Amino acid sequence: MKSSSIVSMLIGTVIFSAPTINGFSAAIMSPLFAHVASNPSSRHETNTKPANKDLFTSMERIPSPIDAVDLSHETEADHDVPIPKPEKKEKSYKIPASFYNENGNDERYSASDWLHNMKTLPNSTILKQIKQPVLAITIWSCLVSSMHQLFLRNGFTKVASSMCMSGKPHSFLVSALGLLLVFRTNSAYQRFSEGRKIWEQILTLSRNVSRMTSLYQRDIGTDCKKRIYRLLSAFPYLLRHHIQPQCLDCMKKADGINAILLPEDSSGCSDEDDKECWVNRDSLPWSLLPDSALKKCVRSGNRPLWICDRLSHEFANVAYTPNFTSRERLNLLSQVDKLSQCVGACERIHQTAVPLTYARHSLRSLTLWLWTLPFAVLNESMWSGLLVGPVVGAIAWVLLGVYQIGCNIEDPFQGTLRMSTLCNAVYRDVLYTSNAEEQYANPRDSAFSMGEETQEWNSLDSLDRFPEHTLAGMGP
């Protein structure tokens, strides 16, 4: 087999994926970098303990679980009423400066980062997952090449020549094998992309519903608004638990811990000896709901759907006013209906895997091709001896890595997507409280209250055109 055939084996998958090269490259690079990037912890606990009462409005304020920038520099002009300055001994609450600064998922790698990527290769998650088959194929290749050299040195030329095979079968199969790997990875990346779009829609819908609720606060009522905010904030966390049950921080009930027991059929616990799953009542999202509502939600088989039902109930009970008519009610109910559709879309991706026959045939074909590759490489004089094992091992690492990437991103909710970041973004934009007083419930509410801003807006000079020095300093 010519040396150029080995090169074609490595790049065959890329050649035959030319119609979908963008999807294939993104399918390989995005999840690989997501594994290299640091994984922020998904467990957050609040600093205050909410009162266990039956009303949403009677619960204490929940601080943000995310580290961010201090807001102590705000002035009285930013609010309708003066803000009491916190004492130095009290802990000030913080708000994230930017959604994309919460983790390193937005980091991009260029060709100049090749040295860093090679140095971090031993820490690669993909390499750790495929190390067993790669080591097995490498050892097998070294054994085959050693036996071939042993027969040649001892005069068993016919036996050594019988171990060699033509490289044409591998050259012919590399095209079909490349198509199998490309289609497998592209289909998995489409599911990854769809899962990210679903959670982006959840974030957008939560922001829209909270905006409409704040806009019509006088018609909806303050108490109803607070209940809607807490339900919206609990929805992404409960949906995450629904499609990723192993993310529950189950524990045994201990003295001094405010814990609640989850049903066995919905807890997601895998421990057969201890089927009881206790979760901390003071952590998110369990602390967002009062005891009476939490008991109903926990008993529900589909908790995010229960949140959607309760949201619909809240909007349906709002009385008609000159400002809040059927148009506004139907608009809010349609937003809740879209949240319910997101639950079904996540369940579809989570419960539907790539056809088993396709996955098995692809892996069997790849395994057979790699295990017979050493016999084809023996014909190459430049790769004889001890070089056969490392060369075949490197080829196995590339091809098996591509297959494993498709397997990892097939269900994006099992670690590829950083859903904890998305859940915290909804909590931050909907329910986050930055001040010690309940009347400053959400910094976003300041956008719906003009106060003294009206006169200041009217006092501004006309800006029909930019000053010349401003235009000169503007970039492209």
Side-chain angles (χ1 to χ4, degrees), residues 79-228:
H79 300 275
D80 295 337
V81 293
I83 301 177
K85 296 182 179 181
E87 298 180 2
K88 295 182 179 180
K89 296 181 180 180
E90 295 180 357
K91 181 179 179 180
S92 60
Y93 299 105
K94 298 179 180 181
I95 188 171
S98 173
F99 169 71
Y100 296 100
N101 288 339
E102 296 176 11
N103 58 29
N105 289 344
D106 57 339
E107 185 177 1
R108 301 295 187 265
Y109 289 88
S110 62
S112 59
D113 300 323
W114 65 272
L115 184 58
H116 170 73
N117 286 321
M118 295 305 298
K119 289 181 178 180
T120 57
L121 181 61
N123 300 328
S124 172
T125 304
I126 298 296
L127 180 60
K128 294 178 182 179
Q129 293 174 347
I130 64 174
K131 64 179 181 180
Q132 292 184 356
V134 170
L135 286 177
I137 293 174
T138 303
I139 294 174
W140 166 253
S141 302
C142 292
L143 180 61
V144 171
S145 62
S146 300
M147 294 296 296
H148 182 262
Q149 292 295 323
L150 182 62
F151 290 144
L152 286 178
R153 294 179 180 180
N154 293 332
F156 299 97
T157 308
K158 294 183 179 180
V159 178
S161 59
S162 63
M163 296 178 59
C164 302
M165 61 177 295
S166 175
K168 292 183 179 179
H170 287 78
S171 300
F172 294 152
L173 290 176
V174 71
S175 302
L177 188 61
L179 289 176
L180 287 175
L181 291 177
V182 167
F183 292 155
R184 172 77 166 83
T185 310
N186 279 341
S187 61
Y189 181 75
Q190 290 176 0
R191 296 160 63 93
F192 170 82
S193 179
E194 184 179 1
R196 180 61 183 89
K197 292 178 181 178
I198 292 173
W199 276 84
E200 180 183 0
Q201 185 180 9
I202 293 174
L203 180 60
T204 302
L205 291 173
S206 301
R207 291 169 175 171
N208 292 342
V209 173
S210 63
R211 180 189 301 110
M212 290 288 293
T213 305
S214 298
L215 188 61
Y216 294 96
Q217 178 180 355
R218 296 181 180 178
D219 305 290
I220 295 177
T222 304
D223 295 342
C224 182
K225 170 191 171 183
K226 294 178 181 179
R227 293 195 296 267
I228 292 173

Side-chain angles (χ1 to χ4, degrees), residues 71 88 122 152 269 408 445:
L71 282 184
K88 295 182 179 180
L152 286 178
C269 297
N408 289 352
D445 290 343

Side-chain angles (χ1 to χ4, degrees), residues 38-96:
S38 59
N39 185 8
S41 176
S42 61
R43 304 172 183 176
H44 303 284
E45 296 184 358
T46 56
N47 295 329
T48 59
K49 182 178 181 180
N52 295 328
K53 300 181 181 180
D54 293 338
L55 298 179
F56 286 82
T57 57
S58 63
M59 300 180 66
E60 295 182 7
R61 178 178 51 82
I62 309 297
S64 173
I66 317 170
D67 294 330
V69 210
D70 197 352
L71 282 184
S72 58
H73 63 277
E74 288 187 343
T75 60
E76 297 180 1
D78 297 329
H79 300 275
D80 295 337
V81 293
I83 301 177
K85 296 182 179 181
E87 298 180 2
K88 295 182 179 180
K89 296 181 180 180
E90 295 180 357
K91 181 179 179 180
S92 60
Y93 299 105
K94 298 179 180 181
I95 188 171

Side-chain angles (χ1 to χ4, degrees), residues 201 205 209 212 312 315 326-341:
Q201 185 180 9
L205 291 173
V209 173
M212 290 288 293
S312 300
F315 292 127
S326 298
R327 178 180 59 184
E328 287 73 23
R329 187 191 308 274
L330 292 177
N331 187 1
L332 290 171
L333 290 176
S334 64
Q335 301 289 337
V336 177
D337 181 66
K338 293 179 181 178
L339 285 177
S340 178
Q341 293 177 6

Side-chain angles (χ1 to χ4, degrees), residues 253-449:
K253 187 176 182 181
D255 297 336
I257 297 179
N258 188 11
I260 57 174
L261 177 63
L262 299 182
E264 298 178 4
D265 57 346
S266 60
S267 62
C269 297
S270 58
D271 191 356
E272 298 180 356
D273 298 333
D274 187 7
K275 295 183 178 180
E276 293 186 349
C277 181
W278 296 85
V279 294
N280 190 359
R281 176 68 171 83
D282 299 331
S283 62
L284 294 174
W286 321 110
S287 59
L288 295 173
L289 304 178
D291 290 341
S292 57
L294 183 60
K295 293 178 181 179
K296 299 177 182 179
C297 182
V298 166
R299 290 196 300 266
S300 176
N302 194 325
R303 296 177 189 131
L305 187 60
W306 187 92
I307 297 292
C308 293
D309 296 340
R310 179 55 64 88
L311 284 172
S312 300
H313 176 75
E314 294 288 346
F315 292 127
N317 289 339
V318 178
Y320 284 98
T321 63
N323 292 329
F324 193 87
T325 61
S326 298
R327 178 180 59 184
E328 287 73 23
R329 187 191 308 274
L330 292 177
N331 187 1
L332 290 171
L333 290 176
S334 64
Q335 301 289 337
V336 177
D337 181 66
K338 293 179 181 178
L339 285 177
S340 178
Q341 293 177 6
C342 292
V343 177
C346 291
E347 291 175 344
R348 172 173 49 84
I349 295 179
H350 177 63
Q351 298 173 359
T352 306
V354 173
L356 187 60
T357 55
Y358 185 89
R360 284 181 175 177
H361 184 71
S362 300
L363 185 57
R364 288 167 180 170
S365 302
L366 180 59
T367 303
L368 180 62
W369 191 87
L370 289 174
W371 280 83
T372 56
L373 182 60
F375 299 100
V377 178
L378 290 176
N379 276 333
E380 296 291 335
S381 58
M382 59 178 298
W383 286 352
S384 60
L386 298 178
L387 289 179
V388 175
V391 168
V392 177
I395 297 175
W397 168 69
V398 172
L399 298 181
L400 289 175
V402 173
Y403 184 89
Q404 185 63 33
I405 288 175
C407 182
N408 289 352
I409 66 177
E410 179 182 339
D411 189 354
F413 308 131
Q414 304 306 315
T416 307
L417 284 178
R418 299 293 185 259
M419 290 189 294
S420 60
T421 302
L422 300 173
C423 294
N424 293 337
V426 175
Y427 177 90
R428 179 202 63 183
D429 293 341
V430 173
L431 190 64
Y432 174 74
T433 305
S434 63
N435 300 282
E437 306 252 346
E438 185 66 23
Q439 55 185 344
Y440 311 121
N442 193 319
R444 288 184 60 194
D445 290 343
S446 60
F448 302 95
S449 179

